[in-house]
Amino acid sequence: MPIRVNDQIIHKAAWLYYTHGLRQDEVARRLEISRASIAMYLRRAREMGIVTITTSSELFSSDVLARELEDATGLTTAWIVPEDRQAMNPAAEVPEVAASVFLELINKGDRIGVAWGRTVYHIADVMPFADLKGVTVVQLCGNLGAPYSYRPDQCTTEIARRLNAEGVNIYAPLVLSSERLAEELRAEPVIREQLATISDCRLSLYSVGGIEDDSHLVKCGALSADEMHAMGERGAAGVIAGQIIDHNGQWMDCAHNRRCISADLNSIRAIRKRMLVVQEENKFEPLLAALKGGFASHLVVTASMARRIMDRWSRDGLGRSAPAKP
Amino acid sequence: MPIRVNDQIIHKAAWLYYTHGLRQDEVARRLEISRASIAMYLRRAREMGIVTITTSSELFSSDVLARELEDATGLTTAWIVPEDRQAMNPAAEVPEVAASVFLELINKGDRIGVAWGRTVYHIADVMPFADLKGVTVVQLCGNLGAPYSYRPDQCTTEIARRLNAEGVNIYAPLVLSSERLAEELRAEPVIREQLATISDCRLSLYSVGGIEDDSHLVKCGALSADEMHAMGERGAAGVIAGQIIDHNGQWMDCAHNRRCISADLNSIRAIRKRMLVVQEENKFEPLLAALKGGFASHLVVTASMARRIMDRWSRDGLGRSAPAKP
DNA sequence: GCGCCTCGTTGACTTTTGTCAGCATTGATG
DNA sequence: CATCAATGCTGACAAAAGTCAACGAGGCGC
């Protein structure tokens, strides 16, 4: 673009305005020209690269990555836990960040849905204490009777305790032995009401489970390793609130899911602030599925995971929902 | 440093505003806070260097006088700060131009030598923020213990901070009380190594000091006014990196210089890009000496100073030293 | 627990900037 | 020499950004 009116004057205007911080009318007076022209010169200066506006990338690399991730995936906000230069497991910091962020996302009077898992429990464990009277923490999925370290109701209760909020547990098992029973239980007024209020939540917190043999559902005995394996063959990609989702984040029509007492996935999607937290590096595929399924508006991950998402997202040519550059 | 949840929002605002070109009210809506806060965040982002606005310094090198000066003196590039018709002290703009030029001269991975003085400090003070990881800023001369506003290490540190580069200070005084001690200190491995790396610099920044009673060295107590006066009688013309040079820019064999811990003048001359900046009009003679001594490949001066150099240079029949323009 | 201070936030107001139609100048063309 | 097109400049208005007093939530010492 060889549009050069008289770039000397453009340089001069740009210098006075940007470097010296004069106002446009001052520049105009000094250059003895109308202010409108100055405004035009300055636009040209920007277009021509005489002035450059940059946001630091090295210094705030994790922030930049976060912004790029948001732009690519349409997340409202992403928090990236940087790989610390000196060792120290970055994944270990994820719950800390998540807890801190989570707290900030809570508003007065909110109803908050909390799911279940190792990550969620860790977050509960480092959740700062607060005084959030009027806030209600509801359990997003049924309980696992099995004696396992991180029970759904524990997560809910612990978080509610720390926030000094009201905790509401679901008094039902996560998985029942027959579909019929599950259906009947879901129809019970107590349970039904509870599940119905989930879409009223303004914030939810969960991680996404994997479908490996060491996945939660398998470890807790909700599914056998073989069954899980078979699900994998049929296209399962991850677990959200106890329910299995496919690679596009859609509910899978399978025996397990039909036997589950848990939040309807569409209810979860209806929650405005859906905070997804992923610690483990091996949860990449489940995470991807959860993102595609619209289960996250807010995300906390490690930098390496963020980069992997970025890579895959662009490779697969998945659109961006972010605003275009003018 | 704790987890920066607060800076996050500033960065995000800056990103949306500057990178995406959203308007403040759009950013405000997206971040769900008032536009007034966004305006404040953006100011902070600029102050903190999260965003940097830089202006090309071409304006100052496109002057005819600059070309003439380069031709006459053999400088690689000269930047001339014009005397503005309407007021505004041109000398005051010198540091701005210098900072801008300096930034443009830096390449990735460079080692940069920074000397000391009022001018250098002023430059540091208006240096734009940048992201120059891999760049190292080294101090060219020892420190002055005296409580004076502009200490050598401050110059180095501030510039390094702004560039997000590594700063390397010399932990030694500029002047010692005896030659013997200076010699011994110079021989110390730590100091010796540091001084030895100076010729590896690819860029250096300094001004030239005067030898009047109000000169830096005198004001800081490194030399008494009388001593300085005596040096003047003996042919001293200026000060480079704490050391006194004669009218030809040669190192003077004097007690002061022998007591100095500072970059060897030949090391400085070995640096390819030697940026000399002179603000004060009364530094004409020192400047001339510095030029003759080969201490500048890049020069930033006011127009009147440039003209004075031109006059004197032609009067003395000094040809252009070396046509070597790399 | 209570006042006191600090700091972040906001709505309302002011100032600054962006825009665009229309005018002026230049220079090329018939 | 008139005409036309292209370009730059300006005034007036609309839009956006800056500012500030006042408010309120947290933290701290008494």
Side-chain angles (χ1 to χ4, degrees):
Chain A
M1 44 134 69
I3 314 162
R4 40 180 59 213
V5 190
N6 178 3
D7 37 340
Q8 191 70 24
I9 201 160
I10 296 182
H11 270 99
K12 195 152 193 172
W15 180 267
L16 290 172
Y17 186 77
Y18 286 107
T19 307
H20 254 279
L22 296 191
R23 278 181 277 107
Q24 290 189 359
D25 56 351
E26 295 180 290
V27 179
R29 216 170 308 132
R30 192 163 296 213
L31 266 46
E32 293 172 325
I33 207 168
S34 81
R35 198 192 53 73
S37 297
I38 298 296
M40 193 198 63
Y41 289 163
L42 293 177
R43 177 152 32 84
R44 290 239 186 114
R46 286 186 299 259
E47 284 164 2
M48 290 164 61
I50 291 172
V51 302
T52 49
I53 302 178
T54 54
T55 62
S56 308
S57 47
E58 276 307 322
L59 199 46
F60 302 90
S61 59
S62 63
D63 298 77
V64 170
L65 186 56
R67 298 294 90 73
E68 287 170 351
L69 190 61
E70 289 158 10
D71 288 352
T73 61
L75 286 163
T76 302
T77 309
W79 285 267
I80 310 278
V81 178
E83 267 100 32
D84 240 18
R85 17 220 161 285
Q86 314 87 324
M88 212 184 252
N89 184 7
E93 274 192 54
V94 167
E96 301 261 9
V97 175
S100 168
V101 162
F102 186 69
L103 199 55
E104 304 253 324
L105 288 177
I106 302 173
N107 286 323
K108 247 185 178 158
D110 276 359
R111 170 177 287 265
I112 300 171
V114 171
W116 152 75
R118 205 173 62 83
T119 305
V120 172
Y121 193 85
H122 278 326
I123 293 169
D125 216 40
V126 295
M127 185 69 68
F129 288 87
D131 188 18
L132 297 169
K133 235 166 235 161
V135 167
T136 309
V137 180
V138 307
Q139 193 176 327
L140 284 181
C141 58
N143 286 296
L144 228 50
Y148 191 72
S149 352
Y150 317 112
R151 291 198 333 259
D153 60 326
Q154 283 182 323
C155 294
T156 312
T157 307
E158 179 62 12
I159 289 179
R161 187 180 75 85
R162 299 218 178 199
L163 302 182
N164 194 26
E166 197 190 345
V168 176
N169 293 324
I170 291 186
Y171 297 114
L174 173 60
V175 198
L176 294 163
S177 52
S178 82
E179 291 179 29
R180 184 189 51 77
L181 188 53
E183 214 159 296
E184 283 174 20
L185 201 50
R186 264 186 234 115
E188 273 297 305
V190 185
I191 306 293
R192 196 182 54 208
E193 272 171 39
Q194 219 156 17
L195 293 178
T197 62
I198 284 172
S199 51
D200 297 338
C201 286
R202 284 208 277 257
L203 171 63
S204 62
L205 171 68
Y206 40 79
S207 187
V208 58
I211 57 155
E212 312 300 315
D213 289 359
D214 64 340
S215 89
H216 242 56
L217 287 181
V218 173
K219 274 181 152 178
C220 296
L223 276 170
S224 73
D226 285 347
E227 285 171 314
M228 188 57 107
H229 219 258
M231 290 305 303
E233 302 280 290
R234 285 186 48 199
V239 179
I240 292 279
Q243 295 161 87
I244 297 174
I245 57 171
D246 67 16
H247 283 276
N248 285 315
Q250 299 306 308
W251 189 79
M252 285 190 71
D253 193 4
C254 63
H256 168 82
N257 278 357
R258 286 193 300 265
R259 289 189 292 126
C260 264
I261 306 283
S262 185
D264 179 66
L265 293 188
N266 284 325
S267 298
I268 295 184
R269 288 196 188 93
I271 298 170
R272 187 140 86 89
K273 293 187 257 180
R274 305 174 300 283
M275 187 168 145
L276 178 60
V277 184
V278 177
Q279 283 195 83
E280 299 96 331
E281 291 297 315
N282 64 9
K283 281 199 184 163
F284 177 60
E285 292 294 341
L287 168 55
L288 218 52
L291 285 177
K292 285 185 191 164
F295 289 108
S297 63
H298 296 71
L299 180 69
V300 179
V301 285
T302 59
S304 68
M305 196 64 114
R307 274 190 289 271
R308 286 173 73 186
I309 300 169
M310 291 291 293
D311 288 350
R312 180 70 76 86
W313 214 267
S314 57
R315 205 190 72 194
D316 290 1
L318 284 157
R320 50 183 291 159
S321 45
K325 247 182 161 177
Chain B
M1 192 181 293
I3 298 154
R4 307 173 349 219
V5 177
N6 281 345
D7 287 9
Q8 178 88 20
I9 200 160
I10 295 182
H11 190 273
K12 185 151 185 177
W15 177 269
L16 290 172
Y17 188 77
Y18 288 108
T19 307
H20 274 278
L22 298 191
R23 289 192 312 269
Q24 291 189 358
D25 57 351
E26 296 180 292
V27 177
R29 215 170 311 131
R30 194 171 290 220
L31 266 45
E32 295 178 317
I33 45 173
S34 77
R35 199 189 54 71
S37 295
I38 297 295
M40 195 200 62
Y41 289 165
L42 294 177
R43 175 151 31 86
R44 279 220 234 141
R46 287 185 300 258
E47 283 165 3
M48 289 166 58
I50 291 176
V51 295
T52 313
I53 302 180
T54 50
T55 320
S56 152
S57 59
E58 194 192 310
L59 172 62
F60 301 95
S61 64
S62 58
D63 203 307
V64 191
L65 184 56
R67 295 290 90 70
E68 290 170 352
L69 190 61
E70 289 158 13
D71 288 348
T73 62
L75 285 164
T76 302
T77 313
W79 286 266
I80 311 279
V81 177
E83 269 95 34
D84 240 15
R85 24 215 157 288
Q86 311 85 330
M88 213 183 250
N89 183 5
E93 263 195 74
V94 168
E96 302 261 11
V97 177
S100 177
V101 164
F102 186 68
L103 198 56
E104 287 176 15
L105 287 177
I106 301 172
N107 288 321
K108 245 188 178 157
D110 277 359
R111 171 176 285 265
I112 299 170
V114 170
W116 153 75
R118 206 173 61 82
T119 306
V120 173
Y121 192 86
H122 279 324
I123 294 170
D125 218 40
V126 295
M127 184 70 68
F129 288 86
D131 257 338
L132 298 168
K133 220 173 238 160
V135 166
T136 309
V137 181
V138 306
Q139 192 175 327
L140 284 181
C141 59
N143 287 298
L144 227 50
Y148 192 72
S149 353
Y150 315 114
R151 292 197 332 257
D153 59 327
Q154 283 181 323
C155 294
T156 313
T157 306
E158 179 62 13
I159 290 179
R161 185 180 78 83
R162 297 215 179 203
L163 303 183
N164 193 27
E166 197 190 346
V168 176
N169 293 325
I170 292 185
Y171 297 112
L174 174 61
V175 198
L176 295 162
S177 52
S178 83
E179 291 179 28
R180 183 189 51 79
L181 189 52
E183 213 160 295
E184 282 174 20
L185 201 50
R186 263 185 236 116
E188 274 297 304
V190 184
I191 308 291
R192 197 182 53 209
E193 273 172 36
Q194 220 155 15
L195 294 177
T197 63
I198 284 172
S199 50
D200 297 339
C201 287
R202 285 207 278 258
L203 171 62
S204 61
L205 170 67
Y206 41 78
S207 186
V208 59
I211 56 155
E212 313 299 315
D213 289 359
D214 64 340
S215 89
H216 241 58
L217 287 180
V218 173
K219 274 181 154 177
C220 297
L223 277 170
S224 72
D226 286 346
E227 286 171 315
M228 189 57 107
H229 221 258
M231 289 304 304
E233 302 280 290
R234 285 185 49 198
V239 179
I240 292 278
Q243 296 161 88
I244 297 173
I245 57 172
D246 66 17
H247 283 277
N248 285 314
Q250 300 304 308
W251 190 78
M252 286 190 70
D253 194 4
C254 63
H256 168 81
N257 278 356
R258 286 193 299 265
R259 290 187 293 126
C260 263
I261 306 283
S262 185
D264 179 67
L265 292 188
N266 284 324
S267 298
I268 293 183
R269 289 193 187 93
I271 298 170
R272 186 136 87 88
K273 292 185 263 181
R274 304 174 300 285
M275 186 169 146
L276 178 61
V277 184
V278 177
Q279 282 195 85
E280 299 95 330
E281 292 297 315
N282 64 9
K283 280 199 183 162
F284 177 59
E285 292 294 341
L287 168 56
L288 219 51
L291 284 176
K292 285 184 191 164
F295 289 109
S297 64
H298 297 71
L299 180 69
V300 179
V301 286
T302 59
S304 69
M305 195 64 113
R307 273 191 292 272
R308 286 171 72 184
I309 299 168
M310 291 292 292
D311 289 350
R312 180 69 77 86
W313 213 267
S314 57
R315 206 190 72 195
D316 291 2
L318 285 157
R320 57 170 299 165
S321 33
K325 252 194 190 182

